[in-house]
Amino acid sequence: MTSKIPLLLLFLLAFAACRKQDIEPEPVGEPVPHESGPDKTWQQQLTASSYTRFREAWQRSGMDQKVKQDGAGFHTLIVPTDKAFDEAGWTPEKIKTAESEVLDELLSYYIMPARLLPENIAAVKGSAPAVTLSSRSLDRENWYQDYVDFQFLAKSGDNLLVNGIALGKWGQQLEGTNGVIYSIDHLISKPQQTMWEYLQSQPRFSLYVDALLICDSLYQSAYIPQPLSLLKSASSFAQFTLFAPNNDAFIKNGFHNAEDILQYCLRSWPLPPPDYDENMYYQQPVISIDSILMACGPEVANASQLTGTEARVGPVFFSNDLVWNATALSGLELYAGQPYNSPPVGISLSFIDNNGQPGIRRINTNYPYIGLKSANIRVINGVVHEIGDLFKR
């Protein structure tokens, strides 16, 4: 009997194998091809790429150590072409003789510890902000910590936009297991001026500068906090958007010089004391012309999330953002307000897409929409757009 048991077991196993084969279904359709991801790191992609200037600068720099110290598992790079380096004066000879610290300062502006894959950027209706590895001390009043540089990336058709400007062709990226490399056709200058410094350096904004100084002086005489501090910026202020009216904007509205502006301001001076409005929000009256200028951007100063040690990037909108998100940005509320305290804070402007260009006017008015005379001017505390008219109520 015992000798028959192994034979019986073999028979049952053979039978089971036959029956299992009989009931297996026939495959339906074609096999689905397996799409494998990248098999190289972004460092390996860079080594094999045509970006020799960037690679040579990287090899002579201390960026490998900087990337390791950062500790991010994924990096996004925007790498200028060799032609871009040459146009900016970064020849092979200059790269070979440059100090490592200088190259660190240059290259760190082009690498971001962020996962900005093509699908991530394309999914954002606007510019995606990303902190870079570039940080620097600013020798300015009210700066108590290092300033960190940002880049803003977006897809527009077949173009890669950086800070609102088309700098490269879309679809030429090199993807790695730990990062992605985008190609750009020009080097990008780091912002060196605040909004206030930029306005002072440009003669076409002299009347706007006069208006701000006059308002600031009047406010200071009454010990009232003035919005000019936001334009001067500080390490506790987030970046934002400024629509700067040029001299033509003031002249068009009857302000030919500083005296005209002063006389208009004095119409509402002295200001009545602050009080609570019908909704029990604490309201500080403003100077007549300041009620117009506040809509240019400084009105966001009272949004609580734009100040403090954690504030870095607030409502920064480039020209493409204003077009793509015209409806959403019109009257956008930034702070809901709190009864018996600060009132709501929002953007008191309306935006339209005017054949691919932004049009802007004061919300709930019927004035013509204003276009941008120049756009996407990067400054330390955000972006400046030039306008040729005032935002009238």
Side-chain angles (χ1 to χ4, degrees):
M1 288 291 295
T2 56
S3 61
K4 296 180 179 180
I5 292 177
L7 294 174
L8 180 61
L9 288 174
L10 289 174
F11 174 78
L12 290 174
L13 289 172
F15 177 78
C18 292
R19 301 309 303 162
K20 181 179 180 182
Q21 186 177 11
D22 290 342
I23 63 175
E24 282 184 351
E26 292 292 326
V28 179
E30 296 294 326
V32 177
H34 174 66
E35 295 185 3
S36 59
D39 57 358
K40 297 179 181 178
T41 64
W42 67 258
Q43 290 92 337
Q44 291 171 324
Q45 291 280 30
L46 179 63
T47 299
S49 74
S50 61
Y51 309 128
T52 57
R53 299 287 186 277
F54 190 94
R55 184 169 62 247
E56 290 166 0
W58 190 280
Q59 291 170 348
R60 291 187 52 81
S61 73
M63 287 303 299
D64 280 331
Q65 184 62 28
K66 199 176 184 74
V67 167
K68 290 178 182 178
Q69 290 175 346
D70 171 70
F74 198 97
H75 291 91
T76 298
L77 289 81
I78 45 177
V79 175
T81 62
D82 286 3
K83 183 179 179 182
F85 271 92
D86 290 340
E87 288 178 348
W90 281 99
T91 61
E93 292 73 21
K94 183 176 179 179
I95 292 173
K96 288 178 182 178
T97 58
E99 297 289 338
S100 174
E101 294 77 12
V102 173
L103 296 176
D104 287 354
E105 184 179 348
L106 171 69
L107 300 177
S108 60
Y109 193 46
Y110 297 97
I111 180 166
M112 296 150 279
R115 183 178 288 272
L116 291 180
L117 290 167
E119 57 267 30
N120 301 140
I121 297 175
V124 176
K125 191 178 180 181
S127 300
V131 64
T132 71
L133 293 185
S134 172
S135 63
R136 46 196 168 119
S137 60
L138 296 178
D139 185 18
R140 286 169 173 81
E141 184 181 0
N142 297 322
W143 281 94
Y144 308 113
Q145 59 190 34
D146 283 353
Y147 174 81
V148 179
D149 285 295
F150 276 75
Q151 301 281 16
F152 297 79
L153 275 60
K155 176 184 181 295
S156 178
D158 62 351
N159 290 319
L160 170 67
L161 304 186
V162 183
N163 303 326
I165 300 172
L167 289 183
K169 289 298 181 182
W170 189 259
Q172 298 180 349
Q173 67 275 356
L174 302 174
E175 294 190 43
T177 57
N178 61 341
V180 57
I181 297 173
Y182 297 94
S183 172
I184 57 176
D185 297 327
H186 302 281
L187 268 67
I188 310 171
S189 299
K190 295 181 182 180
Q192 303 294 337
Q193 296 176 306
T194 64
M195 291 175 179
W196 179 241
E197 290 167 338
Y198 173 74
L199 294 173
Q200 287 184 306
S201 71
Q202 302 296 314
R204 69 184 186 279
F205 295 116
S206 61
L207 289 176
Y208 184 33
V209 169
D210 287 341
L212 291 168
L213 288 173
I214 290 168
C215 290
D216 184 73
S217 177
L218 291 171
Y219 281 132
Q220 285 195 45
S221 70
Y223 302 100
I224 298 173
Q226 58 277 3
L228 184 55
S229 60
L230 188 68
L231 273 65
K232 292 181 176 179
S233 194
S235 55
S236 59
F237 288 159
Q239 299 182 40
F240 69 104
T241 305
L242 180 70
F243 299 97
N246 59 25
N247 290 347
D248 290 340
F250 282 88
I251 294 171
K252 183 185 299 185
N253 289 275
F255 303 105
H256 295 84
N257 49 49
E259 183 63 23
D260 290 340
I261 296 171
L262 175 60
Q263 292 306 315
Y264 186 84
C265 291
L266 292 178
R267 295 181 186 182
S268 59
W269 194 261
L271 294 177
D275 201 357
Y276 294 95
D277 64 13
E278 65 275 9
N279 296 311
M280 299 311 295
Y281 293 118
Y282 188 75
Q283 297 281 5
Q284 170 63 61
V286 296
I287 301 169
S288 51
I289 199 170
D290 210 18
S291 65
I292 298 174
L293 301 183
M294 287 285 280
C296 293
E299 62 187 350
V300 304
N302 293 322
S304 59
Q305 72 269 34
L306 299 184
T307 60
T309 56
E310 298 302 319
R312 288 203 289 187
V313 175
V316 176
F317 305 121
F318 297 90
S319 55
N320 58 291
D321 302 311
L322 301 177
V323 170
W324 299 342
N325 299 286
T327 301
L329 293 178
S330 297
L332 176 67
E333 184 178 87
L334 302 174
Y335 172 63
Q338 184 177 353
Y340 302 100
N341 206 318
S342 301
V345 177
I347 298 174
S348 59
L349 299 174
S350 174
F351 304 91
I352 60 165
D353 176 358
N354 187 8
N355 295 320
Q357 298 297 320
I360 314 157
R361 72 182 180 190
R362 196 72 176 257
I363 198 166
N364 299 325
T365 66
N366 293 318
Y367 291 106
Y369 281 94
I370 302 169
L372 302 182
K373 294 295 184 180
S374 58
N376 306 323
I377 303 161
R378 278 291 275 131
V379 290
I380 287 171
N381 50 332
V383 61
V384 176
H385 304 294
E386 178 186 357
I387 54 175
D389 204 346
L390 299 180
F391 294 133
K392 298 178 287 290
R393 289 183 179 275

